[in-house]
Amino acid sequence: MKVWKQLVLAVAVLAGGAAAAARFVPGADQVLVNAGMPKGLVSAVAPKVDGQKKTGTAPQGGQGQQQQGQAAPGQAQGGNRRGGGAVLVTVAPAASGVVNDRLEAIGDGQAIKSVTVMPAVPGTLASVDIQSGAKVEAGTIVARLDNSSETIAVNSAKLALSSAEEKVARYKGLQSVTRVERDEAQRTVDEAKLALETAELNLQRRIITAPIGGIAGIVAVNPGDNVTTQTQIVALDDRSEILVDFWVPERFANAIAVGAPVEASAISQPGKLFKGSVAAIDNRIDPASRTIRVRAQIPNADDELRAGMSFAVSMKFAGQTYPAVDPLSVQWDSKGSYVWRLNKDKAERVPVRIIQRNPENVLVEGDIKEGDLIVSEGMQRVRPGSQLTVAGAKPEGQS
């Protein structure tokens, strides 16, 4: 393209831009006049305001006019202010909430007494005197081992004792017997008595008895079986009461005490509640889980519960009460979290510390009382001491 054509095109573009600026940009017409553009040309393209051409200067008598970009009195600025420059906000009264007032945990049940019966000595079962599921008392014979050799040993020990006692009796009537011989005969009697006691003990051990009263489990042995001291004859459970072990967070460690009430429901029996109390508390916190072991004791007079059941355990505590605010009310800056409180139509910043977040509110610690009006919306332009207008509130003088 030739140079003269480029110059003509550039002049046309500049003229078009100047005309557009004079027409649409406030104050641009005066700038163009000051730059040397003919005033008549600028006036021809500049829009008229109130019957006068816009030249960038305010018309005479313009004291009642508002400069462009300045809001009229009472008009909202930034979309969230009303008359007098007050910030339009939404507030909600502070409520109160309680934390650490209830404990929920899962625990495992066991019988208050539970024993696995095993023989004290090895041998062959001569008889099994208990049935699976039977209720037995302490001392009931569970099974018997073959005792033939032990019976013979007892009889032999009795004969030896009888012979030794007769010898001592004869020595008492003889003057020729020395004191040493009498002492030896008496020592023989004493040894025979010990031998008899040992033989009777071995015979007694051939009888297997229940050490506690309870309900018998499945009997897994039969007469004729050879058993050892590790063979399980039967398991006995005293389930008149059920012990439930559960683990609780360490924050409850100082709140739980022996004897405190406990409510438990068996997972297998939903809707049925059993009441008991704390029977024992462990003496240390588990460092891996940061929990402490607690044992509850639940009466089972109707024999509805079984050892090994799982339970949902709950406990109630006094807890701690804290102010509750709307989740949207909590703000943060470099100094930490805070909320805005409405104090005589003005904004007051209140530092808070978050205690617990709930779906419907946030529990905080700070200088807030129940019923205080806390800003929940519109706090983007709020500053300390800002004048606040509550959305939906009726102006003074209106009912």
Side-chain angles (χ1 to χ4, degrees):
M1 183 182 291
K2 296 181 178 181
V3 176
W4 67 270
K5 291 183 178 181
Q6 295 179 3
L7 293 176
V8 171
L9 180 59
V11 170
V13 171
L14 291 175
R23 185 169 184 83
F24 298 108
V25 179
D29 48 1
Q30 183 64 32
V31 174
L32 294 175
V33 171
N34 294 338
M37 185 174 287
K39 188 174 182 180
L41 179 60
V42 174
S43 301
V45 295
K48 295 182 179 181
V49 180
D50 295 336
Q52 301 182 12
K53 292 181 180 179
K54 181 179 179 183
T55 60
T57 59
Q60 297 295 328
Q63 295 179 356
Q65 301 288 339
Q66 295 293 327
Q67 296 182 359
Q68 290 187 0
Q70 178 178 358
Q75 182 180 354
Q77 294 186 5
N80 69 336
R81 292 178 181 264
R82 286 188 177 176
V87 181
L88 181 64
V89 297
T90 301
V91 298
S96 62
V98 181
V99 296
N100 296 336
D101 62 329
R102 189 172 183 85
L103 167 67
E104 303 285 346
I106 299 297
D108 297 322
Q110 57 182 309
I112 191 171
K113 293 180 182 179
S114 184
V115 174
T116 299
V117 180
M118 293 183 289
V121 293
T124 302
L125 282 176
S127 65
V128 177
D129 302 277
I130 191 174
Q131 294 182 350
S132 302
K135 184 175 182 179
V136 299
E137 301 294 335
T140 301
I141 296 177
V142 173
R144 300 172 188 266
L145 297 175
D146 179 75
N147 60 2
S148 301
S149 59
E150 286 73 19
T151 301
I152 294 173
V154 169
N155 294 332
S156 177
K158 288 180 178 180
L159 289 175
L161 176 59
S162 177
S163 177
E165 289 176 340
E166 290 177 358
K167 187 176 183 179
V168 170
R170 288 195 306 269
Y171 281 1
K172 287 182 179 180
L174 297 176
Q175 298 297 327
S176 59
V177 178
T178 64
R179 181 177 179 181
V180 174
E181 291 175 330
R182 289 193 179 95
D183 292 342
E184 183 67 26
Q186 184 60 46
R187 187 161 46 250
T188 303
V189 171
D190 295 338
E191 290 176 352
K193 288 181 178 179
L194 291 176
L196 178 60
E197 291 178 359
T198 301
E200 290 176 341
L201 177 61
N202 291 334
L203 180 61
Q204 181 64 32
R205 285 179 173 175
R206 312 303 285 185
I207 301 175
I208 305 171
T209 59
I212 64 171
I215 307 299
I218 295 178
V219 180
V221 294
N222 296 292
D225 289 343
N226 289 321
V227 297
T228 68
T229 56
Q230 301 300 316
T231 303
Q232 297 183 4
I233 304 299
V234 68
L236 299 177
D237 285 341
D238 178 4
R239 57 191 189 214
S240 58
E241 291 183 292
I242 297 294
L243 301 178
V244 180
D245 287 355
F246 57 100
W247 296 81
V248 303
E250 61 178 325
R251 66 177 182 272
F252 291 100
N254 294 329
I256 297 178
V258 174
V262 173
E263 292 182 346
S265 61
I267 304 300
S268 60
Q269 301 179 25
K272 197 162 188 177
L273 201 62
F274 300 90
K275 295 185 178 182
S277 61
V278 174
I281 304 171
D282 208 348
N283 62 339
R284 61 182 61 184
I285 304 292
D286 179 34
S289 62
R290 311 313 308 174
T291 56
I292 187 171
R293 183 185 181 189
V294 178
R295 173 170 290 177
Q297 188 169 329
I298 301 175
N300 188 31
D302 296 333
D303 199 31
E304 298 180 78
L305 306 177
R306 297 289 185 273
M309 278 184 169
S310 58
F311 293 85
V313 182
S314 64
M315 297 184 67
K316 296 180 180 179
F317 304 93
Q320 298 89 39
T321 302
Y322 291 96
V325 299
D326 191 292
L328 298 176
S329 301
V330 182
Q331 303 293 304
W332 288 266
D333 62 8
S334 59
K335 296 181 180 179
S337 54
Y338 64 93
V339 298
W340 293 109
R341 176 169 56 193
L342 181 62
N343 185 7
K344 298 180 180 179
D345 296 333
K346 292 190 177 182
E348 179 183 8
R349 175 191 165 117
V350 181
V352 296
R353 182 172 68 90
I354 296 177
I355 301 298
Q356 178 174 297
R357 289 184 175 275
N358 300 320
E360 67 283 356
N361 56 35
V362 176
L363 303 186
V364 297
E365 182 181 27
D367 185 19
I368 299 177
K369 297 181 178 62
E370 187 174 359
D372 286 353
L373 297 180
I374 306 299
V375 177
S376 59
E377 295 182 25
M379 69 279 289
Q380 293 83 0
R381 300 177 65 89
V382 176
R383 300 294 181 270
S386 296
Q387 190 76 20
L388 302 182
T389 298
V390 179
K394 295 183 179 180
E396 295 183 2
Q398 294 187 10
S399 58

